[in-house]
Amino acid sequence: SSHFGSSPILAPVPKRRPDVLLLCRSRAKMEQAPQQNTFNSEEVDVEMPAPKQHVMMPEEQHAAMLNSDSPHESAPKSGDKLYSKLLCWNFSIGDPLGKAICGEHQMLFCCEASGEVGLGGKGGCLKCANTCELMMPEARCGCFYKMFCIKCGLVSPLDKPFLVLCQKTIA
């Protein structure tokens, strides 16, 4: 004999869990139509606050610009006679004698070297000195040379001013 349609099939009823009941209740609340707020028995539409605005940050300056400043006597200075500069090359005429009559100074990130012959010895006598030093990397780069009164140097092309002719800044 066939049981199809003649008697209902009885299945065990699962136990109800409280977390499932809470979930069902919260879904029922979410499916309700939105309600309007009332104020003094009048219906009032309430707007949501504006979303948080995105603010553009100011553009940061690049901190790793090359520094070509040199305190060495062989480096051309803007106060020297006929100081001139064209992008990365600078030139000047300085004192023919002094601490460095002939000298050089090189800087390249983690290495710095200098050498000079000049009147920096005891009692103003001639002195010849050379140094070379390794250090932690710094953003320093440049080469400077002096031969009697003529000084020239190779500096960062990002250093301003870009064009100077006989101590007059052009660009």
Side-chain angles (χ1 to χ4, degrees):
S1 75
S2 170
H3 291 285
F4 186 73
S6 61
S7 67
I9 299 175
L10 298 175
V13 177
K15 291 183 180 178
R16 295 188 182 229
R17 296 184 358 207
D19 57 337
V20 173
L21 288 176
L22 287 176
L23 180 62
C24 292
R25 286 182 192 152
S26 64
R27 283 188 182 163
K29 286 182 183 177
M30 291 184 352
E31 293 174 1
Q32 294 176 354
Q35 298 177 359
Q36 292 194 348
N37 294 333
T38 58
F39 183 72
N40 292 337
S41 69
E42 294 180 21
E43 290 187 6
V44 178
D45 284 334
V46 177
E47 291 187 19
M48 295 290 294
K52 185 176 179 182
Q53 299 294 315
H54 295 283
V55 178
M56 299 298 287
M57 299 288 290
E59 188 171 329
E60 295 293 326
Q61 294 289 333
H62 198 298
M65 290 205 39
L66 290 177
N67 182 3
S68 298
D69 296 335
S70 172
H72 198 268
E73 288 285 318
S74 64
K77 308 282 190 276
S78 59
D80 291 342
K81 297 176 193 169
L82 301 176
Y83 175 80
S84 300
K85 180 182 178 195
L86 176 62
L87 296 177
C88 62
W89 186 78
N90 60 7
F91 165 86
S92 71
I93 295 188
D95 184 19
L97 299 177
K99 184 180 175 194
I101 297 172
C102 297
E104 62 182 343
H105 183 217
Q106 296 98 17
M107 316 177 277
L108 184 62
F109 299 105
C110 62
C111 180
E112 187 170 342
S114 64
E116 61 191 40
V117 173
L119 300 175
K122 294 179 182 177
C125 291
L126 283 176
K127 178 181 178 180
C128 177
N130 288 305
T131 63
C132 183
E133 180 179 5
L134 293 176
M135 64 195 98
M136 293 302 293
E138 298 176 5
R140 295 183 60 200
C141 206
C143 301
F144 307 97
Y145 298 94
K146 178 182 182 210
M147 180 66 73
F148 300 108
C149 63
I150 297 173
K151 298 179 180 182
C152 60
L154 187 62
V155 296
S156 169
L158 302 175
D159 289 347
K160 292 182 181 179
F162 302 116
L163 182 59
V164 177
L165 185 59
C166 298
Q167 294 182 322
K168 294 182 183 176
T169 301
I170 298 170

